[in-house]
Amino acid sequence: PVIVKHQLSENDKFIVIASDGLYDQLSDEEVIDSVAQWYEARSDVNKDAGSDSTLTTQDSNGATHLIRAALSTDRLGRRSDSVIRRLLAIPPPHSRRFRDDISVTIVTLNRD
C-alpha cells in the first residue's frame, strides 16, 4: 500500500481513500479533478434547487462517480459507458484478467 502523510490545510476539501484498482486506471490528478468536479456539480444543483439545473454526472455518490470514471476509461484514455458494460459482463474468475477490484471512500472535510 501507498501511505501518504499530509498536513491538512483550510484549502483541503476532501480525502480519497481507495484501493490500487482506482489508481491503476486514473492518475492522482484525474482523481482529484473528478471529485472536485463532482462536488462542484452537486453544489450547483443545491444552489439552484427548483431550477432546470441538472447534474453533470449521473451519480449521486462521489465514490460511485470515481469508480464509474475508472471503469469507463479504455486503454486509449477515452471514456464510454459501453466500456463499463463490457467489463462488468465478464464473469468471474475471468474478469480478474481484465479489471481489478475498486474500493473508494471519500471523506468530506467541512470547512464552513
Side-chain angles (χ1 to χ4, degrees):
V2 176
I3 299 172
V4 177
K5 186 176 180 179
H6 172 78
Q7 181 68 39
L8 293 177
S9 74
E10 290 187 19
N11 295 329
D12 294 321
K13 306 284 190 240
F14 55 84
I15 299 169
V16 176
I17 303 166
S19 65
D20 66 330
L22 179 71
Y23 294 102
D24 287 345
Q25 298 298 318
L26 301 175
S27 69
D28 293 347
E29 292 79 19
E30 289 172 315
V31 169
I32 292 167
D33 290 345
S34 291
V35 174
Q37 289 169 359
W38 181 85
Y39 272 113
E40 186 175 307
R42 297 293 298 167
S43 176
D44 290 346
V45 167
N46 290 337
K47 286 181 196 171
D48 298 333
S51 74
D52 291 336
S53 176
T54 58
L55 279 175
T56 59
T57 175
Q58 62 193 18
D59 302 308
S60 62
N61 179 292
T64 302
H65 177 69
L66 271 181
I67 293 169
R68 182 183 306 281
L71 288 177
S72 68
T73 304
D74 68 12
R75 291 182 181 153
L76 300 176
R78 298 175 300 204
R79 291 194 177 159
S80 169
D81 280 343
S82 66
V83 175
I84 295 173
R85 286 191 292 276
R86 286 194 311 265
L87 283 174
L88 295 179
I90 302 169
H94 307 292
S95 60
R96 294 291 287 167
R97 287 187 253 160
F98 298 96
R99 62 178 164 84
D100 196 0
D101 293 335
I102 301 175
S103 299
V104 177
T105 298
I106 299 175
V107 178
T108 303
L109 304 174
N110 293 324
R111 299 282 186 199
D112 297 335

